[in-house]
Amino acid sequence: HSGSANPLDLGVDAEAADFEAALGPLLTDRGSDAVLALHVPTARAAPEPVAEAIARAAAAARAGGHRRKPVFAVSIGED
């Protein structure tokens, strides 16, 4: 991680769990209006698990009573 900078770069080794863990605080932060999660699939992180992790994080934040912040998820790759 590069810290809590904007943008937050999880690095090329980021897997689904890393996306889910990073999105939790971002989705509850009142200092932003939306979240853009950009994923470039690698051998370690296929697009489907990362997309599912992003969806889980968004659902968890909304279930926790937090503001319904828009989440834009983009996967750049073959599929």
Side-chain angles (χ1 to χ4, degrees):
H1 292 242
S2 63
S4 60
N6 185 5
L8 174 62
D9 184 354
L10 299 180
V12 298
D13 292 334
E15 298 177 351
D18 299 313
F19 275 82
E20 192 166 357
L23 285 171
L26 294 173
L27 290 168
T28 59
D29 179 17
R30 292 194 157 278
S32 66
D33 295 318
V35 172
L36 170 62
L38 180 62
H39 175 244
V40 179
T42 65
R44 293 186 60 182
E48 293 84 7
V50 172
E52 292 167 357
I54 293 168
R56 279 193 306 273
R62 291 173 179 168
H66 296 283
R67 182 171 57 120
R68 296 181 61 89
K69 187 179 292 189
V71 178
F72 302 93
V74 179
S75 181
I76 300 173
E78 294 178 18
D79 294 327

